[in-house]
Amino acid sequence: MAVAGYGWWQWNRNKGQSGDGQITPRFATWRERGAMIGAAAVGTVAVALLFKAYPTLSWDPWPDAYIFVGTVVAMYAQARGMVEFWFAWLLVDLVGVPLNFANGYAFSGFVYVIYGALVLWGMRDWWLRSRKGPQPALEGAPA
């Protein structure tokens, strides 16, 4: 919820800067990418250890930690308007979809396959927008 709140604040803050409440997609810098990868790695280990210490929180600590932390990283990157957030979602889906099917949650697996297709579509859109000069930013994109 904290990252969602940050995303809401970030997108609303942009209303004051652009006047239209839109964020222009951009690629992260190498430093930002490194920070996100590092945060994802350290966060995954920390959350997995928490899940192992409290087994009632998770049936499968390592993949669950990876999905949880990957989701937080993706939401952070989205709030900052980084095209890489789409890649983060794809990486989460690469673990989440098979995990759903393996645990007998076929419906959830299929839902995330559809989300995966939407991620590819959205990633293409943001990629193209980030490669153009000044253009209209994304309207009403969720935080």
Side-chain angles (χ1 to χ4, degrees):
M1 288 193 305
V3 176
Y6 170 75
W8 175 83
W9 173 78
Q10 184 71 17
W11 286 70
N12 278 316
R13 189 178 116 205
N14 193 51
K15 283 182 187 177
Q17 294 173 357
S18 67
D20 58 9
Q22 300 177 358
I23 288 182
T24 301
R26 66 176 181 87
F27 280 89
T29 65
W30 284 105
R31 179 182 234 168
E32 289 170 323
R33 289 176 186 155
M36 287 188 291
I37 291 169
V42 170
T44 298
V45 170
V47 172
L49 293 175
L50 174 73
F51 286 168
K52 287 176 87 69
Y54 297 95
T56 56
L57 296 176
S58 170
W59 293 302
D60 212 348
W62 289 98
D64 288 347
Y66 171 84
I67 291 167
F68 176 79
V69 173
T71 298
V72 171
V73 168
M75 291 173 68
Y76 169 80
Q78 180 182 15
R80 306 283 299 164
M82 297 175 191
V83 174
E84 286 80 359
F85 103 86
W86 296 105
F87 295 105
W89 281 124
L90 285 176
L91 292 172
V92 166
D93 284 348
L94 285 175
V95 172
V97 170
L99 192 62
N100 275 304
F101 283 111
N103 287 310
Y105 300 116
F107 181 77
S108 292
F110 284 121
V111 167
Y112 280 96
V113 166
I114 292 168
Y115 286 163
L118 293 173
V119 164
L120 290 172
W121 184 12
M123 182 170 50
R124 179 185 178 278
D125 181 58
W126 276 40
W127 187 297
L128 293 174
R129 288 175 186 239
S130 71
R131 295 294 185 198
K132 295 179 183 175
Q135 72 274 343
L138 301 173
E139 285 187 48

